[in-house]
Amino acid sequence: MRAQSLSHLFSHQVIALAGVLLINWMVFPGFFDVTWKDGRLFGSLIDVINRGAPVAILAIGMTPIIATRGVDLSVGAVMAVAGAVAATFTVAGHPLVVTLAAALAVAIACGLWNGLLIAFLGIQPFVATLVLMVAGRGLAQLITEGSIVTFSDPALIFIGTGSLLGLPMPAVIALLLMLGAHLFVRRTAMGLFIEAIGTNRSAATYTGLRSRSLILAIYAFGGFCAGVAGIIAAADIRGADANNAGLWLELDAILAVVIGGTSLLGGRFSIPLSVLGAIIIQAMNTGILVSGFPPEFNLIVKAGVIMIILILQSARLGEIVAAIRTKNPLGRKTP
Amino acid sequence: MNRIFKLALCAGVATLVSTAAMAAGMTVGFSQIGSESGWRAAETSVTKQEAEKRGITLKFADAQQKQENQIKAIRGFIAQGVDAILVAPVVATGWEEVLGEAKEAEIPVVLLDRGVEAPQDLYLTSVASDQVKEGRVAGEWLVKTVGDKPCKVVELQGTVGSTPAINRKKGFEEAISGHSNITIARSQTGDFTRAKGKEVMEGFLKAENGGKDICAMYAHNDDMAVGGIQAIKDAGLKPGKDILVVSIDAVPDIFAAMAAGEANATVELTPNMAGPAFDALEAFKKDGKQPEKFIITESKLYTPADNPQGEYEARKGLGY
């Protein structure tokens, strides 16, 4: 049953992506050109997966959260915090392992904080994570003392700009994280637990699920993903920009999850489809950049395309289409 | 944390020193917007330096981006009977009342960096940069540098609709108009940030034949230029040589790029708005000389000939 409904959904996202790519190709015929340059693949298509990786990683963490009927608005700010910690640690001369461990530890701590507020104090996720969304950026600014902390450690920079087998590192990391998370939730009972909590938390708790600890872990994982994305974003520009790193990306991540077919009301979810959603968003962004449209149109074009995608996904539209197909839904006479 | 402590200490020492020199110096209140950007932090530290240099006691108030805090601070300064007030207004409207109070108390007010919509007799003068001129200086540099050769420019704009983005675009276009060999091939917004500047430039490079068709990159601020430079390098081209790089602001990191031969020119948006303000105030206090209503700071052009390494070192500690 689930496999069937998922394959049905899958087609929606793939069609949407194909549509966006087709439009990109029409406005810029060189869109699919990929060449080999300095030991790496080079082309607009590669830009899409490279630039889409941070949001894809955020979406991987956001999917289980939304599936449990939650939301995490703080991931953009946590990105900034993780980037700031990584930059200051590497500038202070710590080795890469320590730098990464510190940045990820802080990010996980941020996630745990959210989880505590939500699972144990019963604060609504929207409000609970709003706290860190605002405070987190301030925290990042405190760490960087308000300036952009630049660094030149080649190992850290490699995470943001290096490549493995010709593919950009951020994309490789996102892919590995997606596979790991997907296998973990689908090869264990974890996915089922998450869906149970999202569908009806008290029922899930009465059946013996330790829903509090689970929710705590899910938000910690969201923090971890935001940390990874934050390190990538900082490594990409060789500096921690506390004011702008990850700004508004929480909204892109939520959108990616929604395009991926996960309902904000919890329940059914798919991590790979969320990643596909992130890629669709980025394909649109990159398309706008190469199209040569004036920047005033960016947001309008984006909003328009997203609306079309969401309308196509709407269950009600499916019902209407089905009704029209079965003919005469409203008792009208067909000529 | 450490820095805040040091600042507090500095302020404390400055107060002590200047209490001694009270007879010579003025006491000036400074209501700063907050610290939303590195440039603003630099403006704050330069203002403190300039005050110390002149033996002026500076009373500093950080408004944390709120006009109500600024109005409170100005009323506080009036109550303390300061000799003058500097304000970097967070918004343009709603200043008539509090500026009127300062005028009644016969305390001259100088606006820094941004203007207000209020009768001009309510403040002594305003010190600000001319953003259109900044764009024009950048454009004129490019016109002079490329000569008669055809040149396709890509432009990294600031945030859509923001005043600096509109003005810096306008000034640049003014400068290159009449030079048909220079054309703006592509223009997109990089939101004044490094990450977006890099992403936009990556797109431009793909769209313009792998970057081979691009002759120059014009960025509305240095941060986007720094991002763009990285994108050019990733595409296997040499920024500064294959693609000329010109931008605005003169922050430390663009001087580092310049020293490495990766940037060609930047136009300074000076953080020293307080220097000209104090000059005007001192002249006014001494013999009542009315300064001009709008003091425009210099939009100085810096190129690799201007000792970029030295500029980098000098600016690094200002808090950019």
Side-chain angles (χ1 to χ4, degrees):
Chain A
M1 185 65 186
R2 182 194 291 140
Q4 199 186 5
S5 66
L6 271 188
S7 74
H8 168 72
L9 266 177
F10 195 67
S11 64
H12 275 301
Q13 281 86 17
V14 171
I15 290 168
L17 181 61
V20 171
L21 291 178
L22 187 73
I23 295 169
N24 287 351
W25 176 72
M26 287 192 315
V27 295
F28 175 56
F31 192 83
F32 291 108
D33 294 354
V34 173
T35 53
W36 186 263
K37 202 171 233 170
D38 300 333
R40 65 168 81 194
L41 293 164
F42 181 86
S44 292
L45 220 47
I46 305 301
D47 280 356
V48 171
I49 55 168
N50 186 24
R51 293 283 150 229
V55 172
I57 292 169
L58 291 183
I60 293 169
M62 188 73 80
T63 308
I65 291 175
I66 289 182
T68 55
R69 215 180 275 200
V71 71
D72 187 350
L73 298 178
S74 72
V75 288
V78 173
M79 270 180 79
V81 174
V85 171
T88 41
F89 263 67
T90 188
V91 166
H94 294 287
L96 184 70
V97 184
V98 177
T99 303
L100 294 183
L104 291 177
V106 172
I108 291 171
C110 289
L112 283 173
W113 164 257
N114 285 332
L116 270 178
L117 291 183
I118 294 157
F120 289 88
L121 298 183
I123 299 174
Q124 286 180 2
F126 189 94
V127 180
T129 58
L130 194 63
V131 174
L132 203 55
M133 176 187 178
V134 179
R137 202 160 286 284
L139 185 66
Q141 285 164 345
L142 246 154
I143 297 169
T144 62
E145 297 186 338
S147 61
I148 299 179
V149 177
T150 49
F151 50 84
S152 53
D153 174 29
L156 184 55
I157 290 170
F158 182 82
I159 294 173
T161 61
S163 56
L164 194 72
L165 304 172
L167 287 173
M169 263 325 263
V172 173
I173 295 171
L175 193 70
L176 291 178
L177 207 56
M178 178 187 87
L179 286 176
H182 181 66
L183 289 179
F184 180 67
V185 295
R186 292 303 170 206
R187 289 295 156 93
T188 66
M190 189 53 111
L192 214 58
F193 292 165
I194 291 170
E195 285 172 355
I197 292 173
T199 315
N200 190 335
R201 185 176 158 189
S202 35
T205 311
Y206 283 126
T207 55
L209 259 181
R210 295 164 73 178
S211 57
R212 280 185 176 172
S213 317
L214 256 170
I215 288 175
L216 189 67
I218 286 166
Y219 279 89
F221 177 66
F224 167 79
C225 288
V228 174
I231 292 169
I232 289 174
D236 178 38
I237 59 164
R238 297 151 198 233
D241 185 350
N243 289 326
N244 298 304
L247 193 62
W248 308 127
L249 284 196
E250 56 278 343
L251 299 181
D252 275 10
I254 294 168
L255 184 64
V257 174
V258 170
I259 291 178
T262 302
S263 164
L264 288 177
L265 295 174
R268 187 188 58 196
F269 72 97
S270 163
I271 289 172
L273 286 183
S274 298
V275 170
L276 202 61
I279 298 298
I280 291 172
I281 296 173
Q282 188 56 41
M284 226 155 37
N285 288 341
T286 305
I288 290 169
L289 288 183
V290 293
S291 69
F293 278 135
E296 287 78 2
F297 288 98
N298 291 5
L299 299 176
I300 297 174
V301 171
K302 246 179 109 169
V305 175
I306 287 165
M307 246 175 60
I308 293 172
I309 295 173
L310 293 183
I311 288 172
L312 286 177
Q313 280 185 9
S314 128
R316 188 61 57 82
L317 185 79
E319 283 167 21
I320 294 171
V321 171
I324 291 171
R325 276 205 190 137
T326 55
K327 277 198 286 187
N328 237 353
L330 303 169
R332 275 199 218 108
K333 287 201 170 104
T334 41
Chain B
M1 272 312 181
N2 194 12
R3 219 173 60 128
I4 295 170
F5 174 70
K6 270 191 230 155
L7 273 182
L9 198 68
C10 282
V13 172
T15 325
L16 281 179
V17 170
S18 45
T19 330
M22 191 67 124
M26 300 184 282
T27 301
V28 176
F30 175 30
S31 169
Q32 175 62 292
I33 293 177
S35 52
E36 85 273 5
S37 66
W39 183 84
R40 188 119 347 246
E43 186 190 38
T44 302
S45 40
V46 170
T47 304
K48 285 176 177 165
Q49 283 175 8
E50 286 288 323
E52 206 178 309
K53 213 160 72 185
R54 291 156 202 261
I56 292 172
T57 311
L58 193 74
K59 290 182 181 292
F60 180 75
D62 184 327
Q64 300 184 326
Q65 267 74 23
K66 286 207 181 87
Q67 187 181 26
E68 56 188 88
N69 290 346
Q70 290 204 296
I71 291 175
K72 248 185 261 169
I74 295 171
R75 292 209 167 112
F77 293 145
I78 296 171
Q80 292 167 37
V82 295
D83 297 307
I85 296 170
L86 305 182
V87 191
V90 62
V91 292
T93 53
W95 296 100
E96 287 90 344
E97 201 181 317
V98 69
L99 290 185
E101 289 167 28
K103 194 182 162 146
E104 251 169 56
E106 294 184 349
I107 298 173
V109 175
V110 179
L111 307 175
L112 294 191
D113 172 45
R114 301 186 188 180
V116 298
E117 285 168 26
Q120 289 191 7
D121 62 319
L122 288 180
Y123 53 90
L124 181 70
T125 177
S126 75
V127 183
S129 72
D130 180 346
Q131 292 164 341
V132 179
K133 190 173 147 206
E134 289 161 1
R136 208 182 302 129
V137 171
E140 280 161 1
W141 173 85
L142 188 68
V143 167
K144 219 176 79 194
T145 307
V146 296
D148 297 330
K149 278 178 284 179
C151 183
K152 263 173 126 176
V153 183
V154 294
E155 182 184 35
L156 305 182
Q157 293 187 32
T159 307
V160 176
S162 69
T163 323
I166 293 168
N167 290 339
R168 287 172 175 182
K169 183 174 175 57
K170 188 171 153 218
F172 188 82
E173 282 168 354
E174 277 173 23
I176 63 166
S177 74
H179 299 270
S180 53
N181 57 322
I182 301 175
T183 50
I184 297 180
R186 283 176 187 270
S187 182
Q188 253 295 347
T189 176
D191 276 336
F192 285 127
T193 69
R194 271 182 210 208
K196 285 284 278 177
K198 185 174 181 185
E199 183 181 344
V200 170
M201 194 59 196
E202 280 177 358
F204 285 171
L205 288 161
K206 308 290 180 319
E208 296 290 337
N209 191 18
K212 290 184 200 72
D213 295 349
I214 302 173
C215 132
M217 173 178 86
Y218 166 50
H220 287 187
N221 77 347
D222 288 340
D223 275 332
M224 289 191 292
V226 169
I229 287 169
Q230 288 173 9
I232 296 171
K233 283 202 277 192
D234 288 349
L237 296 171
K238 287 196 180 66
K241 294 186 185 66
D242 297 331
I243 296 178
L244 299 173
V245 175
V246 52
S247 53
I248 298 174
D249 273 359
V251 304
D253 283 342
I254 200 74
F255 286 109
M258 222 180 253
E262 293 170 348
N264 303 89
T266 185
V267 182
E268 182 179 45
L269 165 61
T270 177
N272 185 9
M273 301 274 168
F278 288 144
D279 286 343
L281 278 172
E282 278 168 347
F284 177 71
K285 287 277 177 191
K286 212 169 128 202
D287 32 54
K289 185 171 161 267
Q290 280 288 343
E292 285 178 54
K293 212 73 214 180
F294 299 98
I295 301 174
I296 305 293
T297 54
E298 192 189 2
S299 298
K300 193 175 169 214
L301 180 77
Y302 284 88
T303 63
D306 299 300
N307 183 19
Q309 192 60 40
E311 288 293 337
Y312 173 72
E313 301 294 340
R315 283 154 201 270
K316 215 178 161 217
L318 290 179
Y320 272 112

